[in-house]
Amino acid sequence: MIGHADKAALFAANEERTHWHDQALWFVRLKRDRQAESIPEWEALREAASAIKAHTLSRLADYLEEFERNARANGIQVHWARDGAEHNAIVHRILADRGIKRLVKSKSMLTEECHLNPYLEARGIEVTDTDLGERIVQLRREPPSHIVLPAIHLKKEDIGELFHKELGTAKGASDPNYLTEAARSHLRQKFMAAQAGLTGVNFAIAETGGFVVCTNEGNADMGTSLPPVHIGCMGVEKIVPRTKDLAVFLRLLARSATGQPVTTYTTHFHGPMRGGELHVVIVDNGRSAILGQETFRRSLSCIRCGACMNTCPVFRRSGGYSYGYTVPGPIGSLLAPLRDPSNFSSLPFASSLCGSCSDVCPVKIDLHHELYAFRQELVRQKIVPFHKRLAMAGLSWVLMRTWAYRLTGGLMRRIVPRLPRALVYGPWNPWGRQRELPQMPRESFRDLIRKEPK
Ligand code: SF4
């Protein structure tokens, strides 16, 4: 299997795209910073969110059962799915039993994780993603490259070309307003023709049996208020105990995700519409196994804001597809190998361990320490490739011996400046083109310090 570094190199080979991908995400990160700084109690909110999640995870089964009882009392039909296959089968059964052939969907990373779209399409159901970014990548037959900004890897010119081919917009048109208007008319027809709507779930509230969906485009609201059947799909970790907990999470979510004070639409569902049906599918799909791992269970606290991706220097320069998993970035680098350590063994190494992800995480997941712990775990299990283990063992040997460290440092000072530039900046090393190596001083650091008083 191709590891993260190789796929990242493919992305980074296009320097221009790498640069604007980096800049676009950094822009979002700065917006998030401004929002966080505007709230004096920001750190207290993060503490509260972290504590609520830790408490909820410690009594997850109780809260899920409480949610089920209250949801049923509200007239919601609750289904349980052990894994992605069961989830897909349940959704299909709900649709097939009612003869439904057209489904509109708002953003749901869970359904991406379960590969619901191809499953339903293979059974004759037309599935339309209605979030604009999701619809763009769906038309390109690609997965999202970011959990909040699914088409962030594309430029407006790429989208203009796609819409010209798929929606018949003018050739060469790339004006965002024009393209958005075209997408709006296209999606309006899909909404009007839909027989069912499917949404993700941002938060499910145990004490009321209702759930909340946050969007910026209002597509979840359109998709659930026009057709008579609504299916909400949630991972078990989406539960919060009380309605008042929402106040904490809703203040953190949009600010962390896109730097907005609040998502444009925050919709509460507490029962079916008159004459309609509301279903909730609660999915485990490996989450209980993660809950059983003390070191990594906090990864289940994630509220999928994407802030760790926007800030991560590796993600910004390697793109979401280099991770090869539904959820990329620092949190995906934990979730993917937690499910399948052999296939995703390169992901915990796709981090500089700078700690920026942990600093921005609204629920205070200690991401970089968990990534570091995961590396150690992979080495212990001998899942890391031999050449990497050998390099690490060599480096460790050198770093533990002062004389070897000094000798290697001295050799590096003499050798690196004499290396042909092609070795560092050659086409085989796209990372080298992204950065200038510092000039190595001829003298050792110790000698330089000694000279300082002069
Ligand atoms: S790990 Fe934290 S920062 Fe990353 S997506 Fe989840 S909640 Fe957001």
Side-chain angles (χ1 to χ4, degrees), residues 302-308 331 361-363 365 367:
C302 175
I303 56 171
R304 302 286 192 268
C305 70
C308 57
I331 184 64
C361 179
V363 286
I365 302 174
L367 287 156

Side-chain angles (χ1 to χ4, degrees), residues 397-398 400-409:
W397 191 88
V398 169
M400 284 164 68
R401 287 161 183 83
T402 313
W403 66 266
Y405 175 74
R406 288 202 179 126
L407 179 70
T408 320

Side-chain angles (χ1 to χ4, degrees), residues 145-161:
S145 73
H146 184 293
I147 60 173
V148 175
L149 311 159
I152 189 70
H153 58 295
L154 298 173
K155 290 176 110 170
K156 59 184 193 303
E157 289 76 16
D158 300 325
I159 296 160
E161 210 174 293

Side-chain angles (χ1 to χ4, degrees), residues 242-368:
R242 304 153 302 181
T243 307
K244 69 179 183 185
D245 299 327
L246 286 175
V248 174
F249 291 105
L250 292 177
R251 293 186 76 194
L252 289 166
L253 178 63
R255 287 183 170 91
S256 301
T258 51
Q260 295 164 254
V262 71
T263 41
T264 313
Y265 299 88
T266 300
T267 309
H268 294 240
F269 295 97
H270 274 85
M273 66 162 86
R274 199 173 304 138
E277 291 176 41
L278 178 50
H279 299 259
V280 172
V281 188
I282 305 174
V283 186
D284 186 316
N285 204 28
R287 287 159 174 77
S288 296
I290 296 175
L291 190 63
Q293 299 192 43
E294 202 179 333
T295 316
F296 303 112
R297 73 166 58 124
R298 291 308 304 275
S299 58
L300 291 176
S301 303
C302 175
I303 56 171
R304 302 286 192 268
C305 70
C308 57
M309 291 153 217
N310 303 340
T311 198
C312 176
V314 176
F315 181 91
R316 284 189 277 116
R317 293 170 181 84
S318 62
Y321 293 149
S322 61
Y323 293 78
Y325 186 64
T326 316
V327 179
I331 184 64
S333 298
L334 285 170
L335 294 176
L338 276 167
R339 280 167 197 283
D340 185 348
S342 301
N343 267 335
F344 295 106
S345 63
S346 65
L347 292 191
F349 295 90
S351 167
S352 62
L353 297 186
C354 62
S356 186
C357 47
S358 308
D359 284 347
V360 298
C361 179
V363 286
K364 299 195 81 159
I365 302 174
D366 199 0
L367 287 156
H368 70 297

Side-chain angles (χ1 to χ4, degrees), residues 80-92:
W80 296 85
R82 257 181 298 245
D83 53 27
E86 276 193 14
H87 163 266
N88 293 348
I90 289 168
V91 173
H92 178 245

